[in-house]
């Protein structure tokens, strides 16, 4: 058989032509539909197809691909069914997300494609998690993550490359350098000569290739795949190309010099491959025209069906049900408290050990959590018990490891991520609220991720190690937020968080770690997350609180006998409003107690809900008792005055006197 250069056969060359022309023709059709108002937005990859097609064809069908806006060729080359693909692009009910997402913001586990989110660079750490899952399972797969030149300035880019290099993960980071980030030229984005030069700084190979030569892309990725699997090391590849249309159609290309556009028109990957085929006498013009006709016919029926398909129909129950994957029935839960009193920290550690012993899919990742045992020693001894593959120290990163956790969870693992302090969770906020929280609602299977965060004041740790950020996450659908207050709950709620098939943030109060001990009863019941508990019964007023607030409330009402009822929410999301309503109806007075500051603290939501659904039973205004709206001071004298506990007694007197 006739050989083409780069060891590409004639048959392969024609297949590449077919693979390039199909997404080109689909895009041209979509641009017509855009002008007709049948789609609302389009991010064109015309002129960049060689990267998508060449890279996809060079990989195994079981390798993971994380594409972006301009990678239609990934989906067509992976043989994603065209009817649901067109429904997705048109926002129809039969699309991969049922209308819940736009264009290419979706994935398909059947095709090992993991969809993007709008935040640039966010999927690169996810690729690390997918590669780690392959490495741990011995699957022999790589993860290839696409990245634009603009996204190479984002923090997730650097965290992902560093993590992949340190952990020696089989990841290919493929930068599509198309000269502009929307309208910003590359000279205003980075100062190095080539983006591939950055690879050396992370200790990985890097190279620059012609992204408009599909044969070069294919050959490079095929060799790179073999290298990263053999050496278990990542690689950075910069594919130079050009964006021939606007960032999205509405933005246009007025900022691009006309001469530059004309130069790149001559480098069109489809034209270059066509000329190569003709020059090498692989096929004639008529055969190429026939391939184009076949490619056009290959999608017309699917597109026609999609154009006539139903639009989504709103059903509130269906939409809210989609946010969380249903948890299974409660399983038997152990009881570690047979050998004497346990501290709060011991209960957390025991719950982790129980689940890690039973299921090897659990991994723990975080800063200093391995041989050091974590800064609070919750995981002391875990490295010796479970080994370094499951107990993994990370670089000093938050966003990168949270993204990696999502990649692991998408492939069936159950990652546990420890934030060294809850305050540092802000560095991973995007991954939590935009990637992890929304993943299942958008398109993905359930993601079992547990995020542990030591929080709270009272230990003189100052404004950056003492915050209570649990309320930050209550408004983001898809997250469960848990705050245990007792030794028993430290065990049972941690167990529930680990077993829940959804992302769970569990906030562990630092002052309780070694300041609280107990000898609970002989058994601990398994129960789903989202159940409050009445810690003390009373008739005259209800204190609704959680976490450390439970202990403040019990202390201040110790001598009030049956006057005050105390409800421990235990889970801030989902909220158990049934228990709250029953107590409010019983006492007619409510004090909402929280360690967080009052403005947009968790109790703001409780106040609104009680006013909405319990107003007829109230005999007094809803009173909140929160910490001051200041940073947490370091001085313990100032901190005592800052905390809500300083004002609790006065607030309670005011409520009872109303």
């Amino acid at each position: 058989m006739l050989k083409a250069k780069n060891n590409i056969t004639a048959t392969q060359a024609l297949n590449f032509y077919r693979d390039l022309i199909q997404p080109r023709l689909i895009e041209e059709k979509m641009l017509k539909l855009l002008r007709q108002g049948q789609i609302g937005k389009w991010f064109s990859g015309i002129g960049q197809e060689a990267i998508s097609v060449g890279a996809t064809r060079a990989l195994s069908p079981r390798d993971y691909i994380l594409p972006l806006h301009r990678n239609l060729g990934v989906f067509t080359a992976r043989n994603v069914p065209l009817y649901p693909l067109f429904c997705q692009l048109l926002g129809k009910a039969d699309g991969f997300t049922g209308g819940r997402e736009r264009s290419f913001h979706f994935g398909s586990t059947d095709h090992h494609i993991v969809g993007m989110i709008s935040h640039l660079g966010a999927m690169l750490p996810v690729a690390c998690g997918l590669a780690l899952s392959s490495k741990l399972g011995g699957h022999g797969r790589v993860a290839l993550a696409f990245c634009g030149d603009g996204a190479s300035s984002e923090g997730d880019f650097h965290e992902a490359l560093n993590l992949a290099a340190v952990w020696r993960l089989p990841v290919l980071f493929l930068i599509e350098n198309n000269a502009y980030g929307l309208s910003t030229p590359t000279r205003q984005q980075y100062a190095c000569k080539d983006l591939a030069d950055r690879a050396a700084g992370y200790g990985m190979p890097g190279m620059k290739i012609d992204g408009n030569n599909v044969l070069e892309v294919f050959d490079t990725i095929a060799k790179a795949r073999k290298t990263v699997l053999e050496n278990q090391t990542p690689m950075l590849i910069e594919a130079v190309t050009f964006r021939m249309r606007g960032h999205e159609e509405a933005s246009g290309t007025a900022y691009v010099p006309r001469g530059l556009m004309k130069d790149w028109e001559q480098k069109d990957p489809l034209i270059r491959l066509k000329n190569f085929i003709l020059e090498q006498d692989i096929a004639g013009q008529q055969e190429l025209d026939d391939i184009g006709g076949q490619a056009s016919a290959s999608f017309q029926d699917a597109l026609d069906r999609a154009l006539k398909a139903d639009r989504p129909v709103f059903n509130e129950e269906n939409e809210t049900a989609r946010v969380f994957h249903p948890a299974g029935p409660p399983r038997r839960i152990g009881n570690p408290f047979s050998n004497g009193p346990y501290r709060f920290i011991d209960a957390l550690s025991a719950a982790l050990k129980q689940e890690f012993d039973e299921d090897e899919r659990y991994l723990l990742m975080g800063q200093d959590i391995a041989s050091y045992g974590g800064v609070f020693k919750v995981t002391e001894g875990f490295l010796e018990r479970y080994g370094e593959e499951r107990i993994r120290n990370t670089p000093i990163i938050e966003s990168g490891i949270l993204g990696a956790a999502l990649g692991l969870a998408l492939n069936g693992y159950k990652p546990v991520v420890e934030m060294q302090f809850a305050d540092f969770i802000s560095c991973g906020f995007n991954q939590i609220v935009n990637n992890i929280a929304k993943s299942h609602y958008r398109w993905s299977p359930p993601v079992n991720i547990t995020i542990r965060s030591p929080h709270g004041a009272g230990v003189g740790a100052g404004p950056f190690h003492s915050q209570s950020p649990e309320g930050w996450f209550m408004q983001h659908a898809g997250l469960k937020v848990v705050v245990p207050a007792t030794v028993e709950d430290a065990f049972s709620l941690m167990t529930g968080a680990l077993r829940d098939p959804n992302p769970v943030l569990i906030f562990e109060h630092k002052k309780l770690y070694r300041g609280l001990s107990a000898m609970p009863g002989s058994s601990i019941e398994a129960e789903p997350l989202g159940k409050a508990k009445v810690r003390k019964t009373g008739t005259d007023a209800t204190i609704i609180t959680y976490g450390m607030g439970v202990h403040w409330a019990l202390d201040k009402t110790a001598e009030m006998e049956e006057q005050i009822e105390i409800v421990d929410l235990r889970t801030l999301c989902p909220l158990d409003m049934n228990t709250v309503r029953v107590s409010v109806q019983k006492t007619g007075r409510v004090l909402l107690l929280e360690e967080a500051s009052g403005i947009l603290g968790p109790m703001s939501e409780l106040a609104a809900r009680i006013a909405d659904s319990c107003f007829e039973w109230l005999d007094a205004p809803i009173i909140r008792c929160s910490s001051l709206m200041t940073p947490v001071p370091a001085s313990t004298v100032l901190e005592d005055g800052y905390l809500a506990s300083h004002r609790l007694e006065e607030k309670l007197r005011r409520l009872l006197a109303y």
Side-chain angles (χ1 to χ4, degrees):
M1 183 179 290
L2 181 65
K3 294 280 186 179
K5 68 178 176 180
N6 293 335
N7 297 318
I8 301 294
T9 67
T11 299
Q12 286 175 316
L14 293 176
N15 285 339
F16 278 131
Y17 186 78
R18 184 176 291 105
D19 287 342
L20 286 179
I21 201 169
Q22 186 184 41
R24 174 70 61 88
L25 293 171
I26 289 174
E27 280 222 46
E28 290 173 350
K29 188 69 174 180
M30 300 310 290
L31 290 173
K32 290 180 182 178
L33 293 174
L34 180 69
R35 290 191 290 272
Q36 295 168 6
Q38 298 203 55
I39 57 174
K41 191 177 285 285
W42 187 257
F43 297 85
S44 178
I46 287 177
Q48 298 183 203
E49 298 95 340
I51 303 174
S52 300
V53 168
T56 303
R57 287 303 187 196
L59 298 176
S60 160
R62 293 179 62 78
D63 289 333
Y64 304 101
I65 304 183
L66 296 90
L68 298 174
H69 291 107
R70 281 170 251 287
N71 298 131
L72 174 60
V74 168
F75 295 86
T76 54
R78 272 272 163 103
N79 298 314
V80 173
L82 291 176
Y83 170 69
L85 178 60
F86 283 129
C87 284
Q88 175 67 29
L89 301 179
L90 293 166
K92 298 299 184 72
D94 287 342
F96 285 90
T97 68
R100 296 183 180 94
E101 257 292 11
R102 62 195 290 182
S103 60
F104 296 107
H105 291 233
F106 77 98
S108 170
T109 53
D110 290 342
H111 299 88
H112 298 92
I113 295 174
V114 176
M116 63 175 290
I117 66 172
S118 292
H119 300 68
L120 298 182
M123 303 312 296
L124 301 179
V126 180
C128 292
L130 290 164
L132 177 58
S133 71
S134 174
K135 184 172 183 175
L136 292 173
H139 300 145
R141 304 177 191 171
V142 304
L144 184 148
F146 285 85
C147 172
D149 48 278
S152 70
S153 299
E154 290 279 356
D156 275 334
F157 174 89
H158 302 281
E159 290 193 20
L161 265 65
N162 189 53
L163 181 65
V166 170
W167 281 2
R168 301 187 65 83
L169 300 176
V171 185
L172 294 172
F173 298 103
L174 180 55
I175 301 175
E176 294 180 292
N177 189 339
N178 62 17
Y180 285 88
L182 206 156
S183 68
T184 306
T186 52
R187 69 177 181 276
Q188 295 176 5
Q189 295 184 59
Y190 55 87
C192 54
K193 181 176 182 292
D194 296 311
L195 288 172
D197 296 339
R198 293 179 172 177
Y202 296 105
M204 68 176 71
M207 66 184 70
K208 178 181 175 182
I209 64 171
D210 181 353
N212 280 22
N213 182 343
V214 69
L215 305 182
E216 184 175 344
V217 173
F218 174 83
D219 187 58
T220 301
I221 298 299
K223 291 177 180 176
R225 179 184 187 276
K226 182 180 179 183
T227 298
V228 300
L229 284 175
E230 287 179 351
N231 299 336
Q232 289 296 293
T233 184
M235 187 178 295
L236 177 65
I237 300 169
E238 178 186 1
V240 180
T241 182
F242 193 78
R243 175 161 49 74
M244 299 300 297
R245 304 189 71 86
H247 169 70
E248 47 90 20
E249 283 302 302
S251 65
T253 58
Y255 47 84
V256 180
R258 293 302 94 189
L260 184 60
M261 188 74 78
K262 287 184 178 180
D263 288 345
W264 279 95
E265 285 176 358
Q266 307 305 311
K267 302 175 185 178
D268 184 301
L270 192 58
I271 294 174
R272 292 175 70 184
L273 182 60
K274 175 183 176 179
N275 291 339
F276 170 77
I277 290 172
L278 294 174
E279 291 166 3
Q280 296 292 317
D281 201 24
I282 294 172
Q285 183 63 53
Q286 185 59 53
E287 187 173 354
L288 294 180
D289 289 344
D290 290 343
I291 290 174
Q294 293 163 7
S296 181
S298 70
F299 65 81
Q300 194 59 54
D301 286 347
L303 179 56
D304 289 342
R305 285 178 59 208
L307 287 166
K308 297 174 184 176
D310 293 334
R311 294 176 62 82
V313 175
F314 176 74
N315 180 291
E316 184 172 345
E317 184 177 348
N318 290 344
E319 291 305 294
T320 55
R322 177 69 190 182
V323 172
F324 292 119
H325 189 276
R331 295 187 287 116
R332 178 190 62 81
I333 191 169
N335 186 347
F337 308 115
S338 58
N339 298 321
Y342 260 54
R343 300 170 299 174
F344 192 84
I345 191 174
D346 300 325
L348 293 169
S349 182
L352 287 162
K353 288 175 182 175
Q354 171 186 264
E355 299 306 303
F356 273 60
D357 285 346
E358 291 183 3
D359 193 336
E360 292 187 352
R361 292 176 295 173
Y362 285 107
L363 285 81
L364 179 67
M365 305 182 293
Q367 298 164 30
D368 303 301
I369 53 89
S371 60
Y372 193 69
V375 294
F376 296 102
K377 305 300 181 184
V378 176
T379 58
E380 192 167 31
F382 278 44
L383 179 63
E384 294 76 16
R385 189 177 183 121
Y386 303 110
E388 61 184 12
E389 286 194 340
R390 295 179 66 194
I391 309 300
R392 307 183 73 91
N393 270 346
T394 71
I396 299 179
I397 57 174
E398 284 79 29
S399 184
I401 202 58
L402 288 163
L406 177 56
L408 284 160
L410 288 172
N411 207 26
Y413 283 86
K414 299 179 178 182
V416 181
V417 179
E418 178 180 308
M419 296 288 104
Q420 194 171 74
F421 288 84
D423 311 68
F424 303 158
I425 206 169
S426 57
C427 298
F429 195 71
N430 179 54
Q431 286 290 350
I432 296 173
V433 305
N434 284 315
N435 219 355
I436 292 172
K438 296 176 175 64
S439 181
H440 177 60
Y441 173 81
R442 292 168 55 239
W443 70 271
S444 82
V447 288
N448 184 326
I449 299 172
T450 305
I451 303 169
R452 297 182 43 242
S453 297
H455 78 136
V459 293
F464 304 118
H465 295 77
S466 306
Q467 296 175 88
S468 294
E470 57 273 8
W472 300 355
F473 302 96
M474 290 176 65
Q475 66 171 297
H476 298 283
L479 301 172
K480 296 189 177 183
V481 181
V482 173
V483 190
T486 68
V487 171
E488 183 180 77
D489 274 0
F491 182 78
S492 63
L493 293 179
M494 176 64 80
T495 301
L498 293 167
R499 293 180 180 179
D500 198 288
N502 300 286
V504 180
L505 293 97
I506 182 164
F507 289 89
E508 309 160 8
H509 205 289
K510 301 189 295 293
K511 193 170 183 179
L512 296 181
Y513 274 145
R514 290 171 176 80
L516 181 67
S517 62
M519 182 67 175
S522 59
S523 65
I524 297 177
E525 296 297 323
E527 54 186 333
L529 300 180
K531 299 289 289 182
K533 277 188 178 179
V534 176
R535 298 292 181 188
K536 179 176 180 287
T537 60
T539 56
D540 294 354
T542 298
I543 297 177
I544 301 173
T545 188
Y546 64 91
M548 180 59 79
V550 172
H551 301 282
W552 292 338
L554 289 170
D555 179 60
K556 294 296 184 182
T557 64
E559 298 180 1
M560 299 182 75
E561 298 181 349
E562 298 181 1
Q563 275 186 282
I564 307 301
E565 184 148 296
I566 299 173
V567 175
D568 177 3
L569 293 172
R570 304 169 78 226
T571 302
L572 298 179
C573 187
L575 280 167
D576 179 3
M577 285 304 296
N578 289 331
T579 301
V580 169
R581 274 191 292 268
V582 169
S583 184
V584 173
Q585 185 175 11
K586 174 183 175 183
T587 68
R589 288 179 171 83
V590 181
L591 188 148
L592 304 176
L593 174 62
E594 62 188 342
E595 181 171 336
S597 299
I599 297 178
L600 295 182
M603 290 307 164
S604 298
E605 177 64 19
L606 263 293
R609 291 200 187 192
I610 292 170
D612 183 53
S613 63
C614 304
F615 182 78
E616 61 187 295
W617 300 314
L618 291 174
D619 297 324
I622 300 168
I623 292 181
R624 281 191 295 164
C625 182
S626 310
S627 296
L628 291 181
M629 193 62 189
T630 71
V632 186
S635 162
T636 54
V637 175
L638 298 178
E639 187 180 47
D640 286 344
Y642 158 85
L643 287 168
S645 54
H646 186 73
R647 285 164 290 284
L648 177 54
E649 194 169 342
E650 183 273 327
K651 294 272 189 177
L652 190 54
R653 282 199 305 266
R654 176 183 155 199
L655 177 65
L656 293 173
Y658 185 84

